[in-house]
Amino acid sequence: LETASQAILAQERDLMLAQHYRQPYCLGIITWKVVAPDQSAASLAQSHQVLHRLVDTLKANLRRVDILTQFQPGMVTVGLYGLDQYLADKRFQDLLAPLSQQSWLRENTVVQFYHYLATAPEDGTTLFALRQTLNMQLRHL
């Protein structure tokens, strides 16, 4: 994972390149919810396990140019240069489906993954505008 400041600079650079070369740019957020029999410290540990499994899966399957970071707990942000919303949605579905099978989780524990996408130029032409679009989607959960 890149630091927040590195990720923001890299995402802004990629967004400017995408605009210059008339390529799509997609900013995605992945969130998850751990549903465990005991909503105690054990499920907090389980949430950390989910984060590590998710990050390992994303790092292994995303392209080197994709920018992965965690700005806040329980949420991973991915910048995807050259992918429109349809392709980004398909990529996230393909990556999250195996994680949702939960064979790696404690018994009776379920993880539900959600992803949200904002694409330039359709949803905005600045990183700030794309983040606003994503924040609006998150508020309507």
Side-chain angles (χ1 to χ4, degrees), residues 78-125:
V78 185
L80 301 162
Y81 176 89
L83 292 184
D84 61 20
Q85 189 159 354
Y86 173 80
L87 292 174
D89 184 55
K90 175 129 178 57
R91 167 119 356 128
F92 283 152
Q93 285 180 28
D94 292 346
L95 291 173
L96 297 175
L99 289 176
S100 297
Q101 294 174 7
Q102 286 109 27
S103 60
W104 51 278
L105 292 167
R106 259 188 4 198
E107 189 177 334
N108 298 324
T109 300
V110 175
V111 178
Q112 298 166 333
F113 290 96
Y114 309 93
H115 66 275
Y116 307 91
L117 304 169
T119 309
E122 296 84 0
D123 296 317
T125 57

Side-chain angles (χ1 to χ4, degrees), residues 1 30 32 45-61 68 76 95-96 98-106 111 113:
L1 287 173
I30 299 171
W32 59 92
Q46 196 73 28
S47 190
H48 289 296
Q49 181 185 8
V50 171
L51 172 63
H52 292 294
R53 180 65 66 115
L54 174 64
V55 168
D56 289 346
T57 298
L58 292 174
K59 282 182 175 179
N61 292 287
L68 175 65
V76 173
L95 291 173
L96 297 175
L99 289 176
S100 297
Q101 294 174 7
Q102 286 109 27
S103 60
W104 51 278
L105 292 167
R106 259 188 4 198
V111 178
F113 290 96

